[in-house]
């Protein structure tokens, strides 16, 4: 069964702790993305990666870090420097053939920082 | 980067009524994609429009791309409760070639 998986679905952390969100895909897609979703704000791009061992900052990268050591995996770390980390985090992937790619989203992780 | 403005932000309809959401840009768009996100779910790709004046239909959903490629619309005929969710438009107009989403239109349908 192909797709994108994110774990966990719900995550609670104390303020000041770093936390890593998992994203795995078995679609053989080259490109992967992390979005943050807040109520009324739509989807905002945090980081994206078009190829292994390379990634680019999106619009709201401050306080976040990523790695892309394997094609299938694109974990996101929410650091203590992120001022307002409570949000719904969505991972997506696409084939990356240019500016017409369809993005496939994972189920998301809802992070709550207490 | 290029921005797409989506209106309305919210729409409440009675089941059976029609619904339309609009996506507008001040600059020409290379293409437009539409996604639907059910409550508590994740966005799912619906369709992509590329050509000027393009119209595509999926059952009760009609998607249009304006002649000037600066706006797009999604129209749902005779809404059903299964249409509930947030509809996003997106365009590959980011400064780094990435997909930029509108803020979405949240549709609620009263049975």
């Amino acid at each position: 069964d192909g797709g994108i998986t994110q774990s966990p679905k719900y995550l609670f952390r104390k303020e000041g702790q770093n936390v890593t969100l998992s994203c795995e895909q078995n679609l053989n897609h080259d490109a992967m993305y992390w979005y943050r979703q807040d109520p009324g704000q739509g989807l905002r791009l945090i980081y994206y990666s078009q190829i292994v061992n390379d990634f680019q900052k999106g619009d709201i990268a401050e306080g976040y870090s990523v790695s892309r050591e394997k094609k299938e995996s694109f974990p996101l770390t929410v650091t203590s420097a992120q001022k307002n980390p409570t949000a719904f985090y969505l991972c997506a992937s696409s084939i990356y053939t240019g500016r017409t790619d369809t993005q496939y989203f994972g189920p998301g992780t809802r992070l709550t920082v207490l | 980067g290029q921005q797409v403005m989506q209106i309305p932000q919210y729409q409440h309809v009675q089941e059976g009524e029609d619904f339309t959401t609009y996506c507008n840009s001040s600059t020409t768009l290379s293409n437009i994609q539409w996604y639907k996100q059910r409550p508590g779910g994740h966005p799912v790709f619906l369709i992509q429009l590329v050509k000027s004046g393009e119209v595509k239909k999926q059952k009760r959903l009609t998607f249009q791309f304006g002649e000037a490629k600066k706006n797009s619309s999604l129209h749902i005929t005779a809404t059903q409760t299964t249409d509930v969710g947030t509809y996003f438009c997106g365009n590959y107009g980011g400064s780094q070639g990435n997909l930029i989403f509108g803020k979405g239109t949240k549709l609620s349908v009263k049975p």
Side-chain angles (χ1 to χ4, degrees), chain B residues 64-75:
Chain B
Q64 288 189 300
F65 203 8
E67 293 289 344
K69 299 181 74 173
K70 290 185 177 180
N71 55 70
S72 180
S73 65
L74 157 58
H75 179 81

Side-chain angles (χ1 to χ4, degrees), chain B residues 88-99:
Chain B
F88 294 97
C89 62
N91 167 254
Y92 274 93
S95 56
Q96 299 177 61
N98 51 290
L99 186 62

Side-chain angles (χ1 to χ4, degrees), chain A residues 33 35 37 40-43 45 48 50 56-59 88 90 94 98-103 105-108 110, chain B residues 9-10 30-31 33 35 37 40-45 48 50 88 92-104:
Chain A
Y33 313 82
Y35 294 92
Q37 188 173 35
Q41 292 295 318
L43 299 162
L45 183 66
Y48 67 103
Q50 295 166 349
Q56 308 294 330
K57 290 183 179 180
D59 299 319
F88 188 44
L90 287 157
S94 69
R99 291 189 170 207
T100 59
D101 303 332
T102 298
Q103 294 199 5
F105 286 83
R110 198 167 294 277
Chain B
Q9 190 174 358
Y10 302 97
S30 57
N31 57 61
Q33 296 186 353
Y35 292 76
Q37 183 176 21
H42 58 278
V44 174
F45 175 78
Q48 176 168 256
V50 178
F88 294 97
Y92 274 93
S95 56
Q96 299 177 61
N98 51 290
L99 186 62
I100 300 290
F101 287 94
K103 292 191 175 182

Side-chain angles (χ1 to χ4, degrees), chain A residues 49-63:
Chain A
S49 168
Q50 295 166 349
I51 195 170
V52 174
N53 292 322
D54 186 49
F55 46 83
Q56 308 294 330
K57 290 183 179 180
D59 299 319
I60 55 166
E62 186 175 348

Side-chain angles (χ1 to χ4, degrees), chain B residues 24-87:
Chain B
N24 300 309
S25 172
S26 58
T27 57
T28 303
L29 304 171
S30 57
N31 57 61
I32 200 87
Q33 296 186 353
W34 286 94
Y35 292 76
K36 176 184 178 181
Q37 183 176 21
R38 294 182 185 274
H42 58 278
V44 174
F45 175 78
L46 293 175
I47 210 158
Q48 176 168 256
L49 305 171
V50 178
K51 298 176 184 176
S52 167
E54 190 170 13
V55 178
K56 289 188 177 180
K57 293 190 176 186
Q58 290 179 351
K59 296 182 181 178
R60 295 177 295 103
L61 277 61
T62 302
F63 304 85
Q64 288 189 300
F65 203 8
E67 293 289 344
K69 299 181 74 173
K70 290 185 177 180
N71 55 70
S72 180
S73 65
L74 157 58
H75 179 81
I76 302 178
T77 303
T79 54
Q80 301 175 358
T81 54
T82 52
D83 296 324
V84 164
T86 302
Y87 293 85

Side-chain angles (χ1 to χ4, degrees), chain A residues 80-104:
Chain A
S80 56
Q82 168 51 232
K83 291 183 175 24
N84 186 18
T86 295
F88 188 44
Y89 291 88
L90 287 157
C91 179
S93 71
S94 69
I95 293 175
Y96 191 63
T97 58
R99 291 189 170 207
T100 59
D101 303 332
T102 298
Q103 294 199 5
Y104 296 83

Side-chain angles (χ1 to χ4, degrees), chain B residues 1-40:
Chain B
Q2 206 167 48
Q3 299 289 328
V4 285
M5 304 301 293
Q6 203 171 342
I7 54 170
Q9 190 174 358
Y10 302 97
Q11 186 78 57
H12 309 280
V13 300
Q14 192 76 34
E15 188 172 22
E17 292 181 340
D18 291 356
F19 159 76
T20 305
T21 174
Y22 301 91
C23 191
N24 300 309
S25 172
S26 58
T27 57
T28 303
L29 304 171
S30 57
N31 57 61
I32 200 87
Q33 296 186 353
W34 286 94
Y35 292 76
K36 176 184 178 181
Q37 183 176 21
R38 294 182 185 274

